[in-house]
Amino acid sequence: MSAVWEVFIRFFILGCSSFGGPAAHLGYFYKEFVENRHWLTKESYAQFVMLSQVVPGPGSSQVGFAIGYHRGGWSGAVAAFVGFTLPSVIIMLLFVWGNNALDDNGFLQFWVQGLTLLATVVVADACYTMWKQFCKSTTTRIIAIASIAFLALWSFGYGTLIMLFITALVGGFLPLNDNKSASELTDVRYANTAGIVAVLLFVLSFFTFSSLAMNVFFDYYQAGSLVFGGGHVILPLLQSVLDQLPEEVILSGYALAQSVPGPMFTVATFLGGMTGREMSDPFAFMLLGGMASLGVFLPGLLLMLFAQHHWKRFSAIPKINAAIVALNASVVGLLLFVFATVVLPHSVLSFVDGIVMVCTGAWLFWKRPSILVLLLVLSSISWLRYWLA
């Protein structure tokens, strides 16, 4: 239980401070659990990231769920998910209750921007470290660069999934080998049961129930089962649900999901809560927000551990082992592409932002301060910028 409690605390802290979206979360996880705490190896972490891109669902939450299982079994997995997701869920429900937005508070805008710069620096550092680890040979470097080029040409739809499939197919025929690539992944108890439950619930999602809470759960479960590519893709899959809500509510939820820490899938918390806000029961928004949250996250989490369990078994095959090495390099290319096209353009909005990011990045590279120290310093800088403005 001490290990499970530690998992919850560490992920709760990250859930309160991890701004910047899935790529930033992966950077935080890498620094916290691979570099600082050594809960798992770089090879295992790369496998978790790769599987999260292949399995439908919220990528960073799936990686956190797998890390939690690696550390404390099913209890650790649940503790990691609850710890990382709970802060964002609470904030979203508070916004539903108060019907406010971040735009009304000037300091919060500066503070969120400062934390976004912190996320950018952490992602850059993770990309650099993983490049050194998984792109040592000319072949793996070519794979990483080719992955970037592929995503630059096809970054929409199922581009990431297709890129990983092609990489695995070609990588299996290349002279690549790493005996540790997936051998350290933890065996998952009840993995087949988790997979069966995920499929059965998906089938049930096509039925209509007399309970509004159950209908909300299954509507969001169905959407969560079909998402490849992160929280930005969830809205089109919720079209039947969104037709019941005004457009301004949908846009507010989408904007808030990008402005608060934690996973973007908690946009479902806001939308589910708004569905119940007009009901006579004053607590209905909490119930429906919670059911929407559980529904949208659950399929990806169950399928992640199912895939992890069987991936480890297949990795002993030489060709699949070579494919894993190629996939590791491809994941590095994926993170570099996301950093260059998503993280960086949305974080550096002014000349001052650029200076702050470069100075923070140099400090992290040379002195390796903790995330907490970086967080306190950038929060202080945000307060100073707000005061000067």
Side-chain angles (χ1 to χ4, degrees):
M1 288 304 298
S2 61
V4 173
W5 180 248
E6 184 184 16
V7 169
F8 174 79
I9 292 298
R10 296 302 168 189
F11 274 96
F12 183 80
I13 293 173
L14 287 172
C16 292
S17 58
S18 296
F19 290 79
H25 302 160
L26 295 178
Y28 283 118
F29 291 169
Y30 183 87
K31 182 170 178 59
E32 179 70 11
F33 302 119
V34 178
E35 289 189 343
N36 294 348
R37 305 197 172 276
H38 308 291
W39 283 8
L40 68 163
T41 64
K42 297 175 181 178
E43 290 80 11
S44 295
Y45 184 77
Q47 294 309 294
F48 290 156
V49 174
M50 183 274 298
L51 287 173
S52 74
Q53 301 301 313
V54 176
V55 176
S60 59
S61 294
Q62 288 173 311
V63 173
F65 197 68
I67 293 173
Y69 187 92
H70 186 84
R71 184 69 175 173
W74 277 101
S75 297
V78 173
F81 166 68
V82 173
F84 187 62
T85 311
L86 187 60
S88 181
V89 166
I90 292 174
I91 293 172
M92 284 299 200
L93 289 176
L94 287 174
F95 277 120
V96 173
W97 178 61
N99 199 24
N100 291 319
L102 291 177
D103 296 337
D104 299 330
N105 192 307
F107 171 70
L108 280 179
Q109 294 182 37
F110 278 97
W111 186 59
V112 168
Q113 176 60 16
L115 295 181
T116 303
L117 292 174
L118 171 59
T120 304
V121 170
V122 172
V123 173
D125 183 67
C127 289
Y128 172 73
T129 305
M130 294 183 74
W131 173 272
K132 291 194 302 179
Q133 177 68 22
F134 299 115
C135 301
K136 296 178 181 178
S137 67
T138 301
T139 303
T140 50
R141 289 170 186 162
I142 291 174
I143 291 173
I145 294 172
S147 298
I148 296 172
F150 182 92
L151 291 172
L153 296 173
W154 195 351
S155 60
F156 51 87
Y158 296 103
T160 299
L161 192 63
I162 294 171
M163 180 267 292
L164 291 173
F165 176 78
I166 294 173
T167 300
L169 191 65
V170 174
F173 295 93
L174 296 176
L176 301 170
N177 188 41
D178 182 0
N179 293 328
K180 297 198 308 179
S181 58
S183 61
E184 298 176 355
L185 293 185
T186 308
D187 287 321
V188 179
R189 297 178 62 192
Y190 312 117
N192 291 332
T193 302
I196 292 171
V197 169
V199 173
L200 288 178
L201 290 176
F202 181 70
V203 173
L204 288 174
S205 70
F206 291 92
F207 293 86
T208 302
F209 298 85
S210 58
S211 168
L212 176 60
M214 292 299 293
N215 284 326
V216 167
F217 170 81
F218 281 112
D219 282 342
Y220 284 86
Y221 186 93
Q222 184 179 118
S225 302
L226 300 173
V227 171
F228 291 90
H232 301 281
V233 188
I234 193 69
L235 291 181
L237 296 174
L238 287 172
Q239 194 58 51
S240 61
V241 178
L242 300 183
D243 287 342
Q244 306 168 17
L245 297 171
E247 183 178 352
E248 59 269 18
V249 170
I250 299 170
L251 294 177
S252 295
Y254 185 68
L256 287 171
Q258 299 179 78
S259 303
V260 302
M264 272 198 65
F265 265 42
T266 53
V267 65
T269 308
F270 183 84
L271 298 176
M274 291 301 293
T275 301
R277 194 169 183 269
E278 302 302 324
M279 298 176 64
S280 57
D281 186 347
F283 298 103
F285 78 94
M286 296 178 62
L287 173 63
L288 295 186
M291 294 297 283
S293 304
L294 180 61
V296 80
F297 280 102
L298 186 58
L301 302 182
L302 293 175
L303 292 173
M304 179 68 177
L305 292 188
F306 174 79
Q308 174 190 326
H309 181 79
H310 292 284
W311 182 249
K312 177 181 179 178
R313 184 173 302 173
F314 288 126
S315 68
I317 302 172
K319 286 188 176 296
I320 294 182
N321 190 275
I324 292 173
V325 177
L327 284 168
N328 287 344
S330 188
V331 165
V332 176
L334 170 65
L335 291 178
L336 286 169
F337 176 79
V338 172
F339 173 77
T341 60
V342 179
V343 177
L344 196 60
H346 289 84
S347 58
V348 182
L349 306 179
S350 67
F351 179 72
V352 175
D353 286 342
I355 294 176
V356 172
M357 187 195 72
V358 170
C359 293
T360 306
W363 184 27
L364 177 61
F365 182 80
W366 293 109
K367 298 298 182 180
R368 313 306 297 176
S370 69
I371 291 293
L372 179 59
V373 172
L374 289 172
L375 178 62
L376 292 174
V377 170
L378 282 175
S379 297
S380 300
I381 293 174
S382 299
W383 178 85
L384 179 62
R385 293 180 66 182
Y386 169 69
W387 182 76
L388 291 175

